[in-house]
Amino acid sequence: VAYREGLGKATPSPVTPEMERVKRNQEQISSVLYKEHMAKGTPTPLTPEMERAKRNQENISSVLYSDSFRKQVQGKAAYVLDTPEMRRVRETQKHISTVKYHEDFEKSKGSFTPVVTDPITERVKKNMQDFSDISYRGIQRRVVEMERKRVDQDQENLTG
């Protein structure tokens, strides 16, 4: 046999008193021997209290099982068949939603959203309104023309 070739030669050691003591201790510690010397117990009859406790344990087990199942399934999308009835219901819901949206829009149409105003916003708003008025009325053109006339008159006075 091939595996025996690698083994070396050995001499058996004699059984010493120390080795016998260790062997006896191991036998006493061994759980197998400990269990062999145990006395046989008598089975207890199944009492109503024990049956109740057993049923409670089964119920607790099923509650835990269903709870873990619920956690696994919760938040996952369920497949729903796209039947003509489901399409009709979806369309009806969409129409109802549109009607309610327009209803709310019509109710709030005349109202406005209050905005907090501060001095900077008021100044910017006034400047924009002034700029708009100037552009619309053509006041800017008149100002430029008047400025040009004034510069021309100043030059005539200096040369004249």
Side-chain angles (χ1 to χ4, degrees):
V1 179
Y3 71 90
R4 290 185 182 243
E5 290 173 7
L7 293 176
K9 303 291 182 197
T11 18
S13 59
V15 178
T16 63
E18 181 66 19
M19 290 176 72
E20 284 182 14
R21 187 185 62 77
V22 169
K23 190 174 183 181
R24 269 195 321 272
N25 283 344
Q26 288 297 327
E27 287 173 358
Q28 289 172 354
I29 294 173
S30 170
S31 64
V32 174
L33 292 176
Y34 173 75
K35 288 183 180 177
E36 282 179 3
H37 297 297
M38 277 181 48
K40 301 292 181 194
T42 56
T44 57
L46 197 58
T47 63
E49 181 63 22
M50 290 175 70
E51 287 178 7
R52 185 187 63 75
K54 189 174 181 180
R55 276 195 314 273
N56 283 347
Q57 286 299 321
E58 288 171 358
N59 289 340
I60 289 171
S61 176
S62 67
V63 166
L64 292 175
Y65 173 77
S66 64
D67 189 42
S68 67
F69 175 74
R70 192 177 310 111
K71 286 179 182 174
Q72 289 174 356
V73 172
Q74 191 172 5
K76 303 279 194 299
Y79 293 104
V80 179
L81 296 175
D82 191 23
T83 61
E85 179 66 16
M86 290 300 289
R87 283 188 224 128
R88 186 189 64 74
V89 167
R90 205 174 311 123
E91 283 295 315
T92 304
Q93 288 296 324
K94 194 184 306 178
H95 292 307
I96 290 171
S97 175
T98 305
V99 167
K100 285 185 178 179
Y101 171 76
H102 283 294
E103 230 173 69
D104 291 344
F105 175 74
E106 291 296 325
K107 284 179 186 173
S108 64
K109 197 165 149 181
S111 64
F112 63 94
T113 306
V115 178
V116 178
T117 57
D118 57 343
I120 295 171
T121 308
E122 288 295 322
R123 182 177 54 82
V124 169
K125 188 176 174 181
K126 185 178 181 306
N127 287 344
M128 291 301 292
Q129 185 64 39
D130 290 346
F131 183 75
S132 176
D133 288 347
I134 289 170
S135 296
Y136 178 72
R137 296 182 184 158
I139 295 173
Q140 185 68 29
R141 288 181 295 230
R142 283 190 234 146
V143 170
V144 170
E145 288 173 14
M146 290 171 67
E147 188 67 29
R148 194 176 316 127
K149 285 181 185 177
R150 190 178 64 78
V151 170
D152 289 345
Q153 284 178 354
D154 286 346
Q155 285 180 355
E156 282 180 17
N157 290 340
L158 288 175
T159 57

